[in-house]
Structures are given as C-alpha cells and as structure tokens.
Amino acid sequence: MKVGITGGIGSGKTTVCKIFETLGIPVYYADTRAKWLMAHDPVLVSGIRALLGAQAYFADGSLNRAYIAQAVFGDDEKLGKLNRLVHPAVAEDGERWHEARKGAPYTIREAALLFESGNYRAMDKMITVFAPEELRIQRVVARDQSSPEAVKARMDKQMPEEEKIRRSDYVIHNDGSQPLIRQVLAIHRELLSLSQKT
Ligand code: ATP
C-alpha cells in the first residue's frame, strides 16, 4: 500500500515522517529526491537544459538552483513546463523505490505538492499534516532564517489547507493541540490492519 503525506510549508511533514520511520515504515522524501534527480537523471537533465539553457547547471554538473528559480520566477508557462518534466520523473522513480520495498506493510511518499502535481493519484491513502499559518511561518522563519514575507509568498502559491484536508483520508494536527505521536500511532495501526486485508 502507498500512502502520501502532504501539507503546507512548515506544517511538519518531515517531523511526522520521522515518527513513521521510527515505526519501521520506509519514507520517500520526494522533494529532496527531485533535486537529486534534476542533477543525475540523464533524461531529466537534457530536458531541463533544453528548456532553461546550459546555465541551469554548473560546470561540475550540479544544479544551479538560483538560476533556475530566477528563470521560472513570474513565468508560469515555463514553471509549468519544468514541473511537467520533473513530476513524472519523480513519480516513476518513486514507483521503482516502492517496488523495491515489498517487504514493508506500506510505504510513505512525502511531498509538499502531492495534490498540485497530480501524483496523489498513485497513492492508496492520503494524509495531510495541518498547522495554522501563523505557527508555520514562525517555525519556518526559525528553521531557515528566512523572512516571514518570503515564507508567506511561498505559502500563497500552494493549495489552501482546507482543500488538502477535504481530499485526504487522514489529518494530523500539528498545532500543539494533540500529541503528534499518539495521532501517528492511531493512523499507523489503521494502515497496518488495512494492509493486511489487501
Ligand atoms: P517544508 O514544507 O518546509 O519542508 P515541513 O512540512 O517538512 O516543512 P518540518 O520541517 O517538519 O515541516 O517542520 C518545520 C519546522 O518546525 C522544523 O524546524 C521542525 O523542527 C519544527 N516543528 C515541526 N513540528 C513541531 C512541533 N510539533 N513542535 C515544535 N516544533 C515543530
């Protein structure tokens, strides 16, 4: 069984996934893996070069993230094209990763844009991690030393939290109102029993 975990920036997706990992559940961190694939998957690399030019890479082959960010900033068409190259490559890579973990009762894919990318369609169950905007801004500012305005600008590009919750099977509240571990354990138990039935 494949389970997707999403949530807005700073909602606590990674924190929640670390708890699932302590329970022995393998987690695919799609956003981190996407950055790796953008530098190492030959088909993706040539697609990105064709779209954004050779400057998208440094001489040593590593990704010039600042150039890419600036090249797609404010250009929705180019950003859409870049996403249409990257998202399918990550979906395929994630599929291979999942196939190699057949021994696990279920696996988790963590991504900020699982709904927006359409990759949620490959998941059997979806979990949204929720925290209120103010708290998410505080947490990300503390984590990344970024400005509240920069965090807010990234949030404004993401699907509203209510919409993600509406489309999910489970919600984890990471606003301090309920212990995270208890919520993760309850979902884990349910997923284990579902995986035994499939
Ligand atoms: P991003 O979308 O930016 O990758 P994320 O959803 O993965 O973020 P995390 O990195 O897990 O979010 O959490 C954001 C920050 O808030 C981290 O520094 C994390 O340690 C902190 N944090 C998350 N949950 C809690 C919590 N319940 N109590 C205190 N700090 C928390």
Side-chain angles (χ1 to χ4, degrees), residues 5-16 31 110-116 126-133 135-137 139-140 143 151-152 154-165 168 171-172 174:
I5 292 194
T6 194
I9 173 174
S11 56
K13 298 178 292 297
T14 308
T15 305
V16 164
D31 300 334
E110 188 245 71
L113 304 179
L114 259 180
F115 284 117
E116 292 90 333
M126 283 297 301
I127 301 173
T128 290
V129 181
F130 172 80
E133 191 171 297
L135 189 54
R136 289 159 56 207
I137 293 174
R139 284 175 177 166
V140 176
R143 186 191 60 189
V151 179
K152 181 86 172 59
R154 285 171 64 193
M155 280 177 175
D156 289 345
K157 294 213 181 82
Q158 300 184 338
M159 182 186 281
E161 301 305 285
E162 309 78 61
E163 177 70 9
K164 288 180 196 150
I165 290 173
S168 292
V171 182
I172 293 178
N174 187 22

Side-chain angles (χ1 to χ4, degrees), residues 186-198:
I187 295 172
H188 175 65
R189 289 201 188 103
E190 205 170 309
L191 291 172
L192 280 185
S193 85
L194 283 174
S195 71
Q196 277 153 15
K197 284 179 200 151
T198 53

